[in-house]
Amino acid sequence: MSVSCELCKTRKVKCDRGQPSCGWCVKNTHICEYKQRKKPGLRAGYGRELEARLDRLEDIIQKQQNQISQLSSHSNPPSHSSPPQESSLFRSPPMIHTPHIPRPETALFIQKPSTFPSQPSLQSDFGYTAPIPQSPFETDRFAGSAIHQPIAQQSDNGFPPYDLLYGLADLFFKHINTWCPILHRPSTLNSLFGPSSLEEADRILLHAIVATTLRFSTDPRLTPENRERYHQTSKEKVLLYGLENSSVKSLQAMVILALDLVGCSNGPPGWNLLALITRSVVQLGLATESSSPMVAPQLASIYTLRAMVLPEPKDWIDEESRRRLFWAVYILDRYATIATAFDFALDEKEIDRRLPCRDDLFGRNMSVETRWFATPERTDSSVDKAENLGSFSYYVEIIGILSRIHKFLKKPVDITSLSSVEGWQTEYRDLDREIETWKYNLPSEYGNAARLFSASGTNKLANSGWVMLHTAYHTAVIRLHSSAAYPTHRSPIFTPSFSASQRCLSAVENITTLCGYVNENNMLTKLGPPFAFSLWVAARVLLVHGSTIDHQVNPSIHLLVSTLREMGRYWEVGSRYGNLLSRVLQEYQDSQRAPAGFNGERATPSTVKILADMRRCAFDLDFLISRQPKHAATRAPSITPARTPAPNELEYLDVFDFFNMPRLPVSMDGPMSFANGAVADQLQVPDGGPSNEFNITNFMVDANSDWFMKNQT
């Protein structure tokens, strides 16, 4: 038996043991407890049990090491698994051993987030913990995954395996968020891949990322069948959720999916989704600041107030994310409309927003204030801190100017009325001054392209936002000046402008230079469909100008066409633009090699004449060009009656209508003839008769009598 009771041992005193208790315990009314002294040494059988447990642990460790070795040996897929150019774009960096090793059970993390430990995370400087591996986590890093189940059985919720899913999210921030920066990377990754359970809205956002980013993954597990299945499943889930729910995250998912749709088609799928998004962004109150008079009028008013549907932003990142989400919708709406004769779905009268801040400030969670976006209702410039603005900020501004140009060119003009023509020319000059003033006021780091392309600037690569900004600016220049350089209709008082054509050619030259820079620096995968649209516009100008004025097409067009085709590997609209241009260009080149006629001139191919017809909308041009027989240069063009396009042909309506200028009043929308020596008040508009199938294909004009250069102030 023990010499002392347990309490005396604790008190470290000698126990005056009695029967049955010691005196101190009796005195202090405590239970006196004596414990049996154990025999020294391990209990019987404990050594064998411990040895067995160690054997099992060593076996588990050996299996884990074998799996890690297998994963490492397949970290770089064979060169024959993807095209050489694709391998160079998405080559994985050398494996760096980190504690972030995907385990087989993590393929089920979406369904059972509590069944495995939290992933290692990095503590950022701004308070967010994001589970970002210490080494870049590419999709092909785990090309030979140890997950032995068939890929179709690894997830019952439509998601790829965990490592592939994380890789797709990483690719989103590398190839899409670069030119459409709407998500805050650290907080988004923490929300999607952090230790907490995945909410339904986060799950839908992840589905949108999967659907839009699959095009950039080179993972060999993504067979064509698996790509199609993942894409279709994710797209359907995003659309269904977006129709039934209104929130910031559901709208973010819809916008990301819209990027996928407009990158694949120019037609109704993208239009329908954008129509839903543009109304949702207004109804949720994202088109206005919380301090806007539209929400909180500063004066007593009786007009109907807007109800705030969304809760207040929980922090500055949430507030700026909402602002960027709205501007992404604004830009998508503008690009979907400027190529058509339609009106914008998002009216500027409903907009009262500040510009987005600089990307690095957003990434570092630095709360700043930016100036208001200029609209007819908002001219406040009290806050104008240029140091807080970045390429995305100025990108929004130039798209705003492009919007005003579009509205101006939609107005019908009576080209037989001197007062109407002079009014048109005045507004034209005002817009020209506005766009040039905006360019002049850009800070040097955003506005001086020559410094970037010079030898001293080769070490400082332009980012994707900078390239998108400048291509949008040059597209706006072409949009405005092509209406004066290559007018579809003309009269003695409404003639083509030589200087306007030079402005167009200068803008095309700058876009071509940017195109070469993008190719040389492997930036093409970090630019989106708007860049492809700008390349298309530039190439169309070269074709129109070369075939109607210079009678030879600038060789720069080949760079634009090849780049469009390369973009088509990721965004299908690039292939659409490139293939159509190639068809016309090939027939034009064939006609130039043909022998000249009796008058010394060569016949212009019908496809080139169709392309030069600025009256034609996209459907008409696609319909006519695609049905022209090859080498049909000697055939007389036939008159194609107007008809309603079939539903599957609507997607090309926005491709060519960009140049359909000027808009005539309805009463003048037909063939016109002018008597010899006619003056402004004697212009004749015939009542009927067959219309000319093709546009006038001679835009030559006397530079000395250029109306655009007259009375310039």
Side-chain angles (χ1 to χ4, degrees):
M1 297 293 292
S2 173
V3 176
S4 300
C5 70
E6 294 301 314
L7 285 176
C8 289
K9 286 182 181 179
T10 303
R11 295 167 51 234
K12 297 181 180 180
V13 297
K14 185 177 180 180
C15 180
D16 55 344
R17 179 180 178 185
Q19 293 294 334
S21 302
C22 73
W24 188 89
C25 291
V26 173
K27 181 179 178 181
N28 293 278
T29 65
H30 288 289
I31 298 176
C32 190
E33 181 181 4
Y34 297 91
K35 288 187 177 181
Q36 185 88 16
R37 177 177 293 180
K38 296 180 180 179
K39 295 181 179 180
L42 298 175
R43 62 179 173 83
Y46 183 80
R48 291 190 298 274
E49 180 181 337
L50 180 61
E51 184 178 356
R53 291 174 62 186
L54 288 174
D55 289 340
R56 288 196 299 271
L57 181 60
E58 288 178 354
D59 184 58
I60 292 174
I61 293 175
Q62 183 62 40
K63 289 180 180 179
Q64 292 290 338
Q65 288 177 342
N66 292 338
Q67 291 179 0
I68 294 172
S69 299
Q70 184 179 7
L71 294 176
S72 300
S73 64
H74 290 81
S75 61
N76 290 316
S79 58
H80 57 78
S81 64
S82 60
Q85 292 179 344
E86 193 172 1
S87 289
S88 63
L89 288 172
F90 302 104
R91 186 178 297 111
S92 296
M95 171 68 75
I96 301 176
H97 294 287
T98 72
H100 188 87
I101 301 297
R103 292 174 294 279
E105 66 270 22
T106 58
L108 305 176
F109 89 105
I110 296 296
Q111 290 73 35
K112 300 178 180 179
S114 60
T115 59
F116 54 89
S118 302
Q119 300 297 330
S121 61
L122 297 180
Q123 180 69 33
S124 65
D125 295 334
F126 31 82
Y128 282 93
T129 56
I132 308 172
Q134 297 177 15
S135 60
F137 192 29
E138 299 284 357
T139 56
D140 55 359
R141 171 66 56 79
F142 297 94
S145 174
I147 306 174
H148 301 296
Q149 299 169 304
I151 196 169
Q153 301 176 6
Q154 289 168 1
S155 173
D156 59 2
N157 205 7
F159 282 118
Y162 174 75
D163 61 309
L164 180 54
L165 188 64
Y166 188 95
L168 290 172
D170 183 57
L171 289 176
F172 174 84
F173 287 100
K174 290 180 178 178
H175 298 283
I176 296 177
N177 211 61
T178 51
W179 56 271
C180 186
I182 62 174
L183 297 184
H184 184 257
R185 177 179 176 122
S187 59
T188 300
L189 292 179
N190 185 62
S191 175
L192 299 180
F193 298 96
S196 59
S197 300
L198 202 65
E199 298 179 357
E200 185 63 19
D202 291 320
R203 196 188 310 273
I204 296 302
L205 180 61
L206 197 53
H207 272 298
I209 290 174
V210 168
T212 308
T213 317
L214 280 168
R215 53 176 45 87
F216 295 107
S217 177
T218 60
D219 194 299
R221 288 174 290 175
L222 289 175
T223 62
E225 295 76 15
N226 285 330
R227 286 179 186 272
E228 177 61 27
R229 180 171 57 83
Y230 284 134
H231 180 271
Q232 188 65 24
T233 299
S234 292
K235 183 178 73 171
E236 291 175 354
K237 288 181 179 293
V238 173
L239 290 174
L240 183 60
Y241 186 86
L243 289 173
E244 298 179 350
N245 296 271
S246 294
S247 66
V248 172
K249 286 189 177 180
S250 68
L251 193 55
Q252 285 175 331
M254 296 277 275
V255 169
I256 293 172
L257 183 63
L259 299 179
D260 172 68
L261 294 179
V262 300
C264 297
S265 168
N266 294 308
W271 293 348
N272 296 342
L273 184 56
L274 284 174
L276 175 63
I277 290 172
T278 50
R279 292 319 306 161
S280 296
V281 80
V282 173
Q283 293 164 356
L284 288 177
L286 295 176
T288 59
E289 297 286 337
S290 58
S291 59
S292 169
M294 295 183 180
V295 179
Q298 299 174 353
L299 302 175
S301 174
I302 61 171
Y303 73 84
T304 304
L305 298 178
R306 296 185 181 183
M308 298 303 293
V309 179
L310 296 176
E312 289 292 321
K314 60 179 180 292
D315 52 30
W316 186 80
I317 285 181
D318 189 19
E319 180 181 356
E320 178 67 10
S321 296
R322 296 183 182 188
R323 188 176 294 115
R324 285 168 173 258
L325 174 61
F326 166 75
W327 287 122
V329 174
Y330 175 83
I331 291 172
L332 281 173
D333 174 54
R334 267 41 188 174
Y335 271 109
T337 308
I338 58 175
T340 70
F342 301 145
D343 292 320
F344 295 122
L346 194 56
D347 195 333
E348 287 193 355
K349 293 180 180 179
E350 297 177 307
I351 300 174
D352 195 29
R353 264 294 192 187
R354 293 185 182 274
L355 295 173
C357 71
R358 224 171 58 211
D359 290 346
D360 63 314
L361 298 177
F362 178 50
R364 299 202 306 269
N365 190 19
M366 295 182 63
S367 176
V368 295
E369 194 173 30
T370 57
R371 65 171 173 246
W372 291 90
F373 176 71
T375 64
E377 287 74 26
R378 167 69 72 172
T379 58
D380 179 18
S381 58
S382 57
V383 177
D384 189 8
K385 300 178 180 179
E387 65 273 14
N388 295 336
L389 302 180
S391 56
F392 190 46
S393 318
Y394 297 116
Y395 186 41
V396 169
E397 286 191 328
I398 191 58
I399 296 300
I401 297 177
L402 185 56
S403 302
R404 290 190 281 279
I405 293 173
H406 176 77
K407 290 181 178 180
F408 161 67
L409 294 178
K410 272 179 50 61
K411 298 177 183 177
V413 53
D414 184 354
I415 63 174
T416 67
S417 168
L418 183 60
S419 60
S420 180
V421 171
E422 287 180 342
W424 186 91
Q425 291 174 349
T426 298
E427 192 169 355
Y428 173 95
R429 291 190 179 98
D430 290 342
L431 285 168
D432 176 59
R433 280 192 292 269
E434 180 180 0
I435 196 172
E436 292 306 311
T437 300
W438 173 87
K439 176 65 163 54
Y440 178 80
N441 290 329
L442 280 179
S444 59
E445 62 265 33
Y446 297 105
N448 189 355
R451 186 178 66 176
L452 176 71
F453 300 134
S454 64
S456 60
T458 53
N459 293 328
K460 184 180 179 182
L461 295 180
N463 59 31
S464 304
W466 192 97
V467 173
M468 296 290 284
L469 167 66
H470 278 262
T471 51
Y473 162 73
H474 296 304
T475 303
V477 171
I478 295 174
R479 176 65 164 153
L480 175 64
H481 292 293
S482 62
S483 62
Y486 315 104
T488 301
H489 304 280
R490 68 198 65 185
S491 71
I493 57 175
F494 193 91
T495 58
S497 167
F498 174 79
S499 58
S501 68
Q502 298 307 300
R503 292 281 189 91
C504 288
L505 292 178
S506 177
V508 169
E509 182 181 358
N510 285 309
I511 289 178
T512 305
T513 302
L514 280 169
C515 180
Y517 179 87
V518 165
N519 282 293
E520 291 170 3
N521 292 281
N522 298 321
M523 297 177 63
L524 196 58
T525 62
K526 298 181 180 180
L527 302 171
F531 183 72
F533 178 75
S534 294
L535 297 186
W536 153 252
V537 169
R540 172 101 194 272
V541 170
L542 290 181
L543 269 175
V544 171
H545 188 89
S547 61
T548 61
I549 296 180
D550 285 349
H551 300 292
Q552 62 177 9
V553 179
N554 191 315
S556 298
I557 194 172
H558 298 294
L559 173 63
L560 300 177
V561 172
S562 64
T563 303
L564 283 169
R565 285 182 164 176
E566 180 65 18
M567 284 200 76
R569 296 173 56 193
Y570 311 101
W571 305 104
E572 294 176 26
V573 290
S575 294
R576 177 64 200 164
Y577 296 144
N579 292 338
L580 193 53
L581 288 167
S582 296
R583 164 75 190 273
V584 178
L585 186 60
Q586 182 62 47
E587 295 203 10
Y588 177 77
Q589 292 172 339
D590 291 344
S591 71
Q592 294 301 103
R593 289 191 291 267
F598 293 107
N599 57 358
E601 296 182 357
R602 294 178 173 85
T604 302
S606 57
T607 54
V608 176
K609 292 181 179 179
I610 294 171
L611 192 71
D613 187 351
M614 301 301 181
R615 296 171 300 178
R616 294 290 180 186
C617 69
F619 161 72
D620 284 335
L621 287 168
D622 182 73
F623 174 76
L624 291 172
I625 291 176
S626 63
R627 286 158 179 78
Q628 291 295 309
K630 296 290 185 180
H631 310 292
T634 58
R635 292 186 50 175
S638 60
I639 297 177
T640 302
R643 70 180 182 86
T644 302
N648 64 331
E649 296 169 325
L650 284 170
E651 67 173 293
Y652 306 123
L653 278 174
D654 68 334
V655 180
F656 287 95
D657 203 42
F658 191 80
F659 293 89
N660 188 6
M661 303 298 161
R663 308 288 179 190
L664 297 182
V666 176
S667 61
M668 297 179 60
D669 192 9
M672 293 184 296
S673 63
F674 307 104
N676 293 334
V679 294
D681 57 353
Q682 296 175 329
L683 299 180
Q684 300 175 0
V685 181
D687 296 330
S691 63
N692 182 24
E693 168 65 11
F694 297 109
N695 182 37
I696 302 171
T697 56
N698 181 8
F699 295 106
M700 296 299 295
V701 65
D702 183 5
N704 296 323
S705 60
D706 190 352
W707 58 265
F708 180 46
M709 301 306 295
K710 292 181 179 179
N711 303 321
Q712 286 281 65
T713 57

